Amino acid sequence: MLTFTIRRLVLAIPTLLFISLVIFLLLELAPGDPMAQVPLTVPPEVKEKMREALGLGQPVHIRFWKWIVQFFWIEPQVLIDHYFGTAFSEGKLRVISWQTRSPVMDIVVQRIPQTLWVVGTAYVVAIIIALPIGIYSAYRQYSWFDQLGTFVSMVGFSVPPFFSGVLVIVIFSVQLGWFPSIYDTTHVVNSWDSFVYQLKQMIMPVMVLALQITAQLSRFMRASMLDNLNQDYVRTARAKGLSEYVVVMVHVLRNSMIPVVTVIALGIPSIFGGAIITEQVFKVNGIGQLLIGALQANDLPMVQTLTFIFAVLIVLFNLIADVLYGILDPRIRYD
């Protein structure tokens, strides 16, 4: 397993470099000009100087190489300086946002807590709810519980978050007045009352996101359980006199988790990507809203850095899912 993990990590390096090149070239070909937001009263020669200050006058390969050096060499030095008090990155140019003229990674670090609070909580809640529902729905196939779970899953799949988000705002915020309609990203939790308010403003966005994720995971869990419940090893385990709990929750569940682990692992990067639509609806100032704002402002360094971070997370959690396969199923060996 260790050899497989090291081999995959080594292969991930050229993969990520190729992905970064593709992202860079796609953004270069995309329409739009970062100078479009500049007022019309600014003279053309001043605009040209601004373009040169942003590095837009340099060849494509030079700009790509600078971004690679800044992201892979200078930004890790900044992290080391922050934790150990060193000065490796002092005086070195970092990846700068065209929109805010500040380091991109500093802005990303500021936005991540808001995304983790809302989207991360919704993902954890969805897993806790979806797995038991999928297991019991498969065990009691075609029962009223299974039919109800199927109905709720279809609703979760069918209703888009821009509709369900507005719907819960109208019901629980406008009509009933139970929860705030706008997420206050400046709120600081420093007492019990502030913690209660934080929970109240999280309930609606978490509810909308958890409905979508629960619908997906519960269907995967149910289908995987049904595939394994009819296998020969299940009949053998029951014939040996094992209790139904041990048969279902130990033998069947462990084998059924293999495809579900893939869905869960590949869904984790979406936590950091943020639920873009939901963050827009509830005004959560997270990573998703940051990406939308950067796209609208043609802030290419911000867009490129965010999309590359998502790519790194996808490659990483693909590896984690493969490693978990070997843990869940002893028949799978990589060495």
Side-chain angles (χ1 to χ4, degrees), residues 135-149:
I135 293 168
Y136 194 75
S137 294
Y139 186 69
R140 299 293 184 186
Q141 188 181 14
Y142 303 130
S143 64
W144 67 268
F145 184 88
D146 185 27
Q147 300 290 346
L148 180 62

Side-chain angles (χ1 to χ4, degrees), residues 43-270:
E45 57 272 14
V46 176
K47 285 187 179 182
E48 190 61 32
K49 289 182 179 180
M50 293 173 66
R51 291 179 65 87
E52 292 177 0
L54 293 176
L56 294 174
Q58 297 175 331
V60 173
H61 64 280
I62 298 295
R63 282 185 282 134
F64 176 68
W65 174 250
K66 283 187 174 180
W67 182 85
I68 289 290
V69 172
Q70 291 168 348
F71 188 86
F72 287 99
W73 182 247
I74 298 177
E75 292 298 342
Q77 292 179 9
V78 173
L79 188 64
I80 293 172
D81 293 347
H82 175 74
Y83 284 107
F84 298 102
T86 54
F88 293 123
S89 63
E90 187 174 354
K92 296 180 180 177
L93 183 63
R94 302 172 62 186
V95 182
I96 301 298
S97 167
W98 292 349
Q99 187 179 11
T100 63
R101 305 298 189 270
S102 57
V104 167
M105 291 306 297
D106 288 353
I107 304 173
V108 172
V109 170
Q110 292 171 7
R111 298 293 187 96
I112 281 179
Q114 303 298 336
T115 295
L116 291 179
W117 263 111
V118 177
V119 188
T121 302
Y123 205 78
V124 172
V125 169
I127 292 173
I128 294 173
I129 295 174
L131 296 188
I133 290 177
I135 293 168
Y136 194 75
S137 294
Y139 186 69
R140 299 293 184 186
Q141 188 181 14
Y142 303 130
S143 64
W144 67 268
F145 184 88
D146 185 27
Q147 300 290 346
L148 180 62
T150 301
F151 174 75
V152 173
S153 297
M154 291 302 103
V155 172
F157 270 124
S158 305
V159 179
F162 61 82
F163 176 80
S164 57
V166 174
L167 184 64
V168 296
I169 287 175
V170 171
I171 295 174
F172 295 106
S173 182
V174 177
Q175 299 295 331
L176 299 177
W178 290 355
F179 310 117
S181 60
I182 297 177
Y183 188 92
D184 183 9
T185 54
T186 62
H187 179 69
V188 178
V189 178
N190 52 18
S191 64
W192 175 252
D193 291 338
S194 62
F195 177 71
V196 171
Y197 181 81
Q198 176 67 21
L199 290 180
K200 288 178 67 175
Q201 71 172 356
M202 284 173 58
I203 286 177
M204 289 198 297
V206 167
M207 184 192 309
V208 171
L209 288 171
L211 176 62
Q212 264 194 323
I213 302 170
T214 301
Q216 180 186 23
L217 291 181
S218 63
R219 289 294 92 188
F220 271 100
M221 189 74 248
R222 179 183 180 274
S224 185
M225 286 288 292
L226 286 175
D227 286 340
N228 283 277
L229 280 170
N230 296 320
Q231 297 294 324
D232 292 338
Y233 74 88
V234 177
R235 287 191 289 269
T236 303
R238 285 170 174 160
K240 286 182 176 180
L242 296 178
S243 66
E244 197 68 11
Y245 178 85
V246 172
V247 171
V248 175
M249 300 304 295
V250 176
H251 297 283
V252 177
L253 178 60
R254 182 171 180 176
N255 290 322
S256 302
M257 283 300 296
I258 295 175
V260 180
V261 161
T262 305
V263 180
I264 294 176
L266 295 183
I268 291 177
S270 66

Side-chain angles (χ1 to χ4, degrees), residues 16 265 268-270 272-273 308-318:
L16 291 174
I268 291 177
S270 66
F272 298 90
F308 185 70
I309 290 174
F310 303 155
V312 171
L313 292 172
I314 290 172
V315 171
L316 175 63
F317 281 99
N318 257 310

Side-chain angles (χ1 to χ4, degrees), residues 298-324:
N298 293 313
D299 189 352
L300 300 188
M302 178 69 75
V303 176
Q304 183 175 352
T305 302
L306 286 174
T307 50
F308 185 70
I309 290 174
F310 303 155
V312 171
L313 292 172
I314 290 172
V315 171
L316 175 63
F317 281 99
N318 257 310
L319 173 61
I320 292 174
D322 288 341
V323 172
L324 289 176

